[in-house]
Amino acid sequence: MRAKLSAAPTLLALCGAAALIAGCSSTQEDRTANWSPNRIYQEAKEEADGGSYDKAIPLFEKLEGRAAGTPLAQQAQLDKAYAQFRSGERAQAIATVDRFMKLHPASPAIDYALYLKGVINFNDDLGMFAWLTRQDLSERDQQAAKESFLAFKELVTRFPESRYAQDARQRMNYVVNSLAQYEVHVARYYYTRGAYLAAINRAQIALADYREVPALEEALYIMVQSYDALGMTDLRDDAKRVLTTNYPNSTYLTQGFRAKDDPWWKLW
């Protein structure tokens, strides 16, 4: 009886030790434990350059902690934001850039941070099925486009000589065209459904808020057609006069609305 009693705790102890060993073996080893910050950064860059953003992001995060307070940590933040953007994590990328600008307002890389924020929100990827629907940028929610414009505007205002300023200006023009076309897209939607007053109001918003953008030609044509449908001939003629004055070669008056296969935009 005595032998049986003494064996029980020994067996329990062995089981406990085995469980402990198993638990330890299941814990993932930190392969960067003995790496220098420079080595971590180099490894993260290699992963990002190879398109393995899911592997690069945790390395950049680890570097932020290891090299806290150094320029290398700041660089890791910006590189992480870019990697998050490229991996489709737009909200996280924006949060990372915003955090960088809050923590390092005097950083010499603020111009790049603003540019990166603008590019992340710019996001003109129509998706793999866009060609089926012929959807263009103006048909989507424009909040991101507005935020993109504001980031680019701050960049060119604060840092007009920045290496990123010229590209930012071009993208700003693109965004403005998109925002104007969005208003016209909505106006055309109302027009095709017989909501002529709503179509006129939306076209007028485009004319009031934007200058020298391609969408205004169609905005005026929508007004001409809507006033005509409502029997408001005087206002129709006024709108037509403005259209022919500003766009003497307009094809809208001779061919009507453009086909869906003829979008206003072109890929960036």
Side-chain angles (χ1 to χ4, degrees):
M1 179 67 67
R2 229 174 250 173
K4 289 182 180 179
L5 287 174
S6 61
T10 303
L11 181 60
L12 290 174
L14 290 173
C15 290
L20 180 62
I21 293 172
C24 291
S25 64
S26 64
T27 302
Q28 188 174 3
E29 182 181 357
D30 182 3
R31 65 191 180 98
T32 70
N34 297 318
W35 290 8
S36 68
N38 285 332
R39 183 180 175 186
I40 297 175
Y41 181 72
Q42 185 61 36
E43 185 76 10
K45 285 291 291 180
E46 288 179 3
E47 295 287 6
D49 291 343
S52 299
Y53 300 110
D54 58 326
K55 296 179 180 179
I57 291 170
L59 288 172
F60 286 130
E61 290 174 342
K62 195 174 294 292
L63 181 57
E64 284 185 71
R66 296 270 184 92
T70 69
L72 190 59
Q74 295 183 31
Q75 184 64 51
Q77 265 190 288
L78 292 174
D79 287 340
K80 181 181 77 170
Y82 181 76
Q84 289 170 325
F85 163 56
R86 292 300 305 272
S87 63
E89 301 175 0
R90 191 176 72 87
Q92 294 91 325
I94 292 295
T96 299
V97 174
D98 285 341
R99 178 170 172 267
F100 174 87
M101 291 192 291
K102 182 178 180 179
L103 292 176
H104 313 290
S107 169
I110 283 292
D111 61 334
Y112 173 70
L114 287 167
Y115 177 73
L116 182 56
K117 184 174 182 179
V119 169
I120 293 169
N121 277 315
F122 184 78
N123 188 22
D124 68 344
D125 181 8
L126 296 178
M128 63 182 298
F129 298 114
W131 65 274
L132 291 174
T133 61
R134 301 297 299 173
Q135 181 191 41
D136 67 47
L137 304 184
S138 68
E139 297 177 36
R140 303 180 301 171
D141 178 26
Q142 297 297 292
Q143 184 57 41
K146 293 176 181 177
E147 292 175 1
S148 175
F149 181 87
L150 291 176
F152 288 139
K153 183 179 180 181
E154 183 176 354
L155 166 60
V156 300
T157 300
R158 292 178 58 187
F159 308 100
E161 302 303 320
S162 168
R163 59 184 293 189
Y164 308 106
Q166 182 58 33
D167 186 63
R169 293 185 185 97
Q170 293 177 359
R171 290 175 184 265
M172 285 172 67
N173 290 335
Y174 185 89
V175 171
V176 167
N177 285 338
S178 175
L179 292 172
Q181 185 63 32
Y182 174 75
E183 299 297 338
V184 175
H185 171 78
V186 175
R188 183 175 179 180
Y189 173 87
Y190 285 137
Y191 172 78
T192 57
R193 283 154 180 76
Y196 302 119
L197 286 177
I200 292 168
N201 289 337
R202 209 64 189 238
Q204 287 176 333
I205 289 175
L207 292 167
D209 291 351
Y210 303 98
R211 295 287 183 274
E212 299 180 357
V213 294
L216 300 187
E217 181 182 358
E218 185 178 0
L220 287 166
Y221 179 68
I222 290 172
M223 293 178 66
V224 171
Q225 294 298 97
S226 296
Y227 281 131
D228 186 63
L230 292 170
M232 300 178 176
T233 55
D234 288 344
L235 292 174
R236 176 202 64 194
D237 293 343
D238 287 343
K240 187 175 182 179
R241 189 177 305 110
V242 175
L243 174 59
T244 55
T245 299
N246 288 275
Y247 304 95
N249 299 317
S250 176
T251 59
Y252 282 101
L253 293 175
T254 57
Q255 301 177 21
F257 288 107
R258 292 172 181 168
K260 190 68 172 176
D261 289 336
D262 186 22
W264 67 274
W265 53 272
K266 62 180 179 180
L267 293 179
W268 187 252

